[in-house]
Amino acid sequence: MVLCDTNIFIEIYRRNNIVRSVVMDVIGYENIVVSDVTRAELLYGAINKTELQMIRKDLNKIRVLHVDQFISKMAVDLVDKYCLSNKTDFQDALIAATAISHRMELYTLNIKDFVFIPEIKLYQPNKMH
């Protein structure tokens, strides 16, 4: 299983065929999961009711990992540790903490937002899995 960051879905909706191919063909749609944060960010970003319905339909097919007390505490700790040096915001910290706590790789296009966190494993589509 691979945790996908919000930007992965944004690129799929923008018809980025490279990202789409990684998700569908390399990882496999059945092997992707998202956090509550990604779910909320995608719903919030909908530009109209039609897009909101499409996003809801897509998200209903994907396993969602919920933020629990452990993830929340880890995220606060990550913000505390990296907010000044790396500008880590709470949403990214929650996504990172979700990946770490579930021992999953994180597939993101914003590697710079996570690479400095030693515990995180970033999914690299150019490597064989």
Side-chain angles (χ1 to χ4, degrees):
M1 302 298 264
V2 175
L3 182 70
C4 289
D5 195 2
T6 308
N7 58 59
I8 298 302
F9 290 93
I10 291 170
E11 287 303 308
I12 289 172
Y13 290 137
R14 289 180 178 165
R15 294 179 167 54
N16 180 325
N17 289 329
I18 295 169
V19 172
R20 188 178 197 293
S21 176
V22 169
V23 169
M24 301 299 193
D25 303 328
V26 180
I27 299 171
Y29 200 74
E30 67 282 359
N31 295 316
I32 63 168
V33 296
V34 296
S35 79
D36 279 331
V37 177
T38 294
R39 183 178 168 94
E41 287 179 333
L42 289 172
L43 293 170
Y44 179 78
I47 57 174
N48 56 43
K49 288 182 180 180
T50 303
E51 189 173 272
L52 183 61
Q53 286 178 320
M54 178 189 65
I55 292 168
R56 283 180 182 145
K57 183 180 173 188
D58 290 345
L59 289 172
N60 285 336
K61 299 175 191 172
I62 300 171
R63 183 174 164 217
V64 177
L65 299 176
H66 302 290
V67 174
D68 60 19
Q69 186 176 357
F70 180 78
I71 290 170
S72 179
K73 182 184 178 330
M74 185 188 302
V76 170
D77 291 345
L78 289 171
V79 170
D80 181 37
K81 189 171 185 178
Y82 299 112
C83 67
L84 293 179
S85 60
N86 298 90
K87 306 288 188 230
T88 299
D89 65 29
F90 192 54
Q91 292 90 335
D92 284 344
L94 282 167
I95 291 171
T98 301
I100 294 165
S101 71
H102 287 277
R103 296 185 175 108
M104 291 183 173
E105 290 178 297
L106 173 64
Y107 182 30
T108 183
L109 300 177
N110 296 336
I111 293 169
K112 66 177 175 39
D113 293 339
F114 302 96
V115 71
F116 52 86
I117 303 170
E119 304 86 0
I120 201 155
K121 294 177 187 154
L122 296 174
Y123 179 81
Q124 298 175 22
N126 55 343
K127 293 193 176 186
M128 296 300 287
H129 280 78

